[in-house]
Every structure is written in C-alpha cells, then in structure tokens.
Amino acid sequence: MNPHPTAPSTTPRTPRSRDLARQREAITALGHELRMLLDATVRTAASPKTLEDMAAGVRSLTGQLTGHRRSVSEIPEVDEFPGGLRMYSPATGPGSPIAPPMRVTPTQDGVTGHLRLGIAHEGPPGYGHGGISAMLLDELMGWACAATGTPGMTISLHMRYQGPVPLETPLIARAHVAGTDNRKIFVKGSIAIEASASTTLVEADGVFVAPDAEAARSLFPTLKNAR
C-alpha cells in the first residue's frame, strides 16, 4: 500500500517507473485543471451564449483524448490495486475531476484523510452533500482495511450525521479497523473540521469482507494483468 503517493521514493527508478511517474504527474495536472473548471462551472452566472461556446470548446477538447480507452473492468496501469493508489477514485484520485481529492496518510492505529470540499460537493447551501461524506468514509475505511494487509469490500455502512460538514474548510477524516471475524473486517470512521478535530460531524460503522481467491478472480478478471 502507498497511502501517500506524493512522498519521495527511496527506490532508484527504472525507465519504466520514470514513465509511470510522468504519466501520474500528467494525470494529476489534468485532474487539477478539470476540478478548477468544474468549480467555475457550478459557480458561474455566464450568459447562455458563453455557456454554449464553452460547451463547444469542451467538446473539442474531449475529442483530443484519443488512443486506448479502458473497459469498465480494466485496471489502470497507473493504479496500485488492490490496496493502494487509485488515480481516478472519486474520493482520493488526483486525476478525478469530482474528487476533493482526499490525501490519505497512515497513522499508528489506522489512516487519516485531509481534504476540503468544494461547491461542486454541495448539498444544503454552504455544506457538503451527505452522500459525499458517506463516499469519503467508505473509501477511507477501505484504506484502513488495506493498511492491515487485508483489502476488503464494503458489505454494510451505517452513517450517523451529527452536524453539517462545511464547504471550503480544512477537514480531517479518520478510519481504523475495530475487529475481525474470519474474512469480515469491522471498521470505524469519522469526519471533523481540522481546527476542531475532537468534534465529530459524521461517524460511520462499516463491515467489509476480504474476498477469497476464487471470488477475487471472478470479481476482477483483469487483476492478473495489474501491476
């Protein structure tokens, strides 16, 4: 698992790894610009003509993304799956236009995520959508499973919303494994404002399951081709 992809590597890079690093850097740069565009799009009060011109321009740019297009079951070469970096994750992916993205780091007893929600994540005016909180904790709790060496998949997620999550405010999310039962993994997670981290705004209890080898092959038929 590599929960902090921006940390410097101590391993000498081969030409292949340099190519991969450059690809990730380019994906991250494009993801950042797309998030800026998304933010401007949901804030704008531009005229219909301006919006129509923008739509045509974006359509033209989309046409420039030529080459191989991965299938829905194909694992991107830039990912570390299972249990690591996912470049296009809607929660943590630096290449995703809809991700905050949440930066994940390991802690002594689990993992911590740092993020800010933007206006594109809005539910009630000024606050994050409750479904975004659920998505973020579901992702982070999965990282907590992987941090123990047992990547798992969500089979249940129980949310408790104790206060609204403000937009454009530094947030801290936490997750840790609370126990296991055979292949079941019990995980707890929370979100708070970073400046008042002891006041929990959202809590979650999740149950994850580590698929056996046969189930993993069935669920992820291209896994054998992953890095």
Side-chain angles (χ1 to χ4, degrees):
M1 178 181 178
N2 177 15
H4 192 13
T6 58
S9 172
T10 58
T11 304
R13 287 180 173 176
T14 64
R16 179 70 192 92
S17 63
R18 282 198 297 269
D19 291 345
L20 191 60
R22 183 180 178 188
Q23 185 75 8
R24 285 175 175 162
E25 289 168 3
I27 289 169
T28 298
L30 178 58
H32 172 76
E33 297 304 328
L34 289 173
R35 285 189 290 276
M36 296 301 99
L37 176 60
L38 179 59
D39 182 81
T41 299
V42 298
R43 290 177 185 270
T44 189
S47 69
K49 178 62 168 62
T50 298
L51 297 176
E52 290 163 0
D53 290 345
M54 280 293 300
V58 172
R59 190 180 307 115
S60 175
L61 289 174
T62 300
Q64 296 180 38
L65 292 174
T66 57
H68 173 73
R69 289 178 180 259
R70 64 185 177 95
S71 67
V72 293
S73 62
E74 185 178 349
I75 299 168
E77 190 177 32
V78 291
D79 281 6
E80 296 170 355
F81 182 84
L85 176 65
R86 303 296 306 280
M87 290 297 294
Y88 300 107
S89 161
T92 60
S96 170
I98 63 174
M102 179 167 57
R103 296 175 292 105
V104 182
T105 56
T107 60
Q108 188 172 0
D109 63 346
V111 289
T112 296
H114 297 273
L115 68 143
R116 289 173 183 250
L117 294 180
I119 195 169
H121 306 115
E122 189 174 56
Y127 298 97
H129 194 290
I132 296 294
S133 294
M135 178 185 70
L136 291 168
L137 286 179
D138 183 37
E139 175 94 354
L140 191 65
M141 291 159 78
W143 281 65
C145 293
T148 68
T150 312
M153 300 179 67
T154 317
I155 58 175
S156 72
L157 190 65
H158 178 67
M159 304 294 300
R160 291 182 297 279
Y161 296 90
Q162 301 179 18
V165 178
L167 301 178
E168 299 183 342
T169 302
L171 303 173
I172 184 168
R174 302 185 182 96
H176 69 276
V177 171
T180 60
D181 180 10
N182 196 9
R183 290 190 295 109
K184 287 185 177 180
I185 310 163
F186 303 94
V187 192
K188 291 184 176 293
S190 65
I191 297 175
I193 297 172
E194 200 167 274
S196 52
S198 62
T199 303
T200 299
L201 299 177
V202 183
E203 284 185 323
D205 289 297
V207 181
F208 290 66
V209 65
D212 58 28
E214 183 178 353
R217 284 192 296 270
S218 176
L219 288 166
F220 311 111
T222 61
L223 183 59
K224 61 181 180 299
N225 298 321
R227 292 180 67 256

